[in-house]
Amino acid sequence: DARVTQTPRHKVTEMGQEVTMRCQPILGHNTVFWYRQTMMQGLELLAYFRNRAPLDDSGMPKDRFSAEMPDATLATLKIQPSEPRDSAVYFCASAMGLFPDTQYFGPGTRLTVL
Amino acid sequence: QKEVEQNSGPLSVPEGAIASLNCTYSDQGSQSFFWYRQYSGKSPELIMFIYSNGDKEDGRFTAQLNKASQYVSLLIRDSQPSDSATYLCAASMNSGYSTLTFGKGTMLLVSP
């Protein structure tokens, strides 16, 4: 059963600490997306990669967020330093990069920054 | 600014009724449209997509697209309490190289 996996599923940390979230896309998918979901803003695209190359990270606060894809099976999203306003659910999604751009979501990481 | 608009709801329907969820989009260049279902505390799950004007049916679900009116809808026939969730509409510009713009979702409540 092919699915996107994310770790950790839950993370509670204190303000100022570094947070790293990991995502394993579906095997064979060449496009990976990072989203953040809050009640107020809904789903916001933070960054995405095609064939491991970053295509767009304009949705990320550049001073504290970074996203990488060190290999085809791993994408990471890092926040340093974390702030209480970063508390949200972070989803990773992957897609094959073919029409009609169907994206499949991972279970998410629920981040709480105290 | 590409936008996808949905009524936040909740939309309340009795079990067995037809639930109609609506979505409008601002970008005329949008080519394909997606409906995702999201249960509370879970991740979005794809229900279906549509890219041609008209209706597309999949079981109890029917997606409708009207590009002239920039309007997408999802009909759920014979609604069940298990259909209670938030339904997200998303639009994509073109094939293979674009991102999805999501609406904020409509909460559907199906009462037994």
Side-chain angles (χ1 to χ4, degrees), chain A residues 33 35 37 40-43 45 48 50 91 97-107 110, chain B residues 31-32 34 36 38 41-44 46 49 51 88 92 94-100 102 104:
Chain A
F33 305 83
Y35 291 91
Q37 187 175 42
M40 290 297 295
Q41 300 299 326
L43 264 174
L45 179 66
Y48 80 107
R50 172 69 48 83
F91 289 108
L98 300 174
F99 187 83
D101 301 323
T102 306
Q103 296 182 22
Y104 297 90
F105 283 76
R110 183 173 296 275
Chain B
Q31 294 293 323
S32 49
F34 302 79
Y36 284 82
Q38 187 174 24
K42 301 296 185 181
S43 59
L46 179 70
F49 61 84
Y51 50 84
L88 303 171
S92 176
N94 56 32
S95 60
Y97 290 90
S98 66
T99 59
L100 294 182
F102 281 87
K104 292 187 177 180

Side-chain angles (χ1 to χ4, degrees), chain A residues 73-88:
Chain A
T73 63
L74 177 65
T76 62
L77 179 67
K78 187 175 297 186
I79 308 174
Q80 168 63 19
S82 57
E83 298 180 1
R85 59 179 168 156
D86 301 329
S87 297

Side-chain angles (χ1 to χ4, degrees), chain B residues 26-98:
Chain B
S26 63
D27 193 330
Q28 289 183 323
S30 297
Q31 294 293 323
S32 49
F33 305 88
F34 302 79
W35 284 99
Y36 284 82
R37 176 177 62 200
Q38 187 174 24
Y39 292 113
S40 180
K42 301 296 185 181
S43 59
E45 172 192 13
L46 179 70
I47 298 175
M48 60 192 306
F49 61 84
I50 186 169
Y51 50 84
S52 298
N53 271 329
D55 295 0
K56 179 182 179 183
E57 187 174 316
D58 184 359
R60 295 187 296 113
F61 298 96
T62 298
Q64 299 175 317
L65 174 60
N66 183 326
K67 289 186 178 180
S69 300
Q70 296 181 226
Y71 179 89
V72 191
S73 65
L74 179 70
L75 301 179
I76 307 175
R77 290 181 299 281
D78 188 24
S79 296
Q80 301 297 309
S82 58
D83 295 324
S84 298
T86 296
Y87 289 78
L88 303 171
C89 174
S92 176
M93 278 289 291
N94 56 32
S95 60
Y97 290 90
S98 66

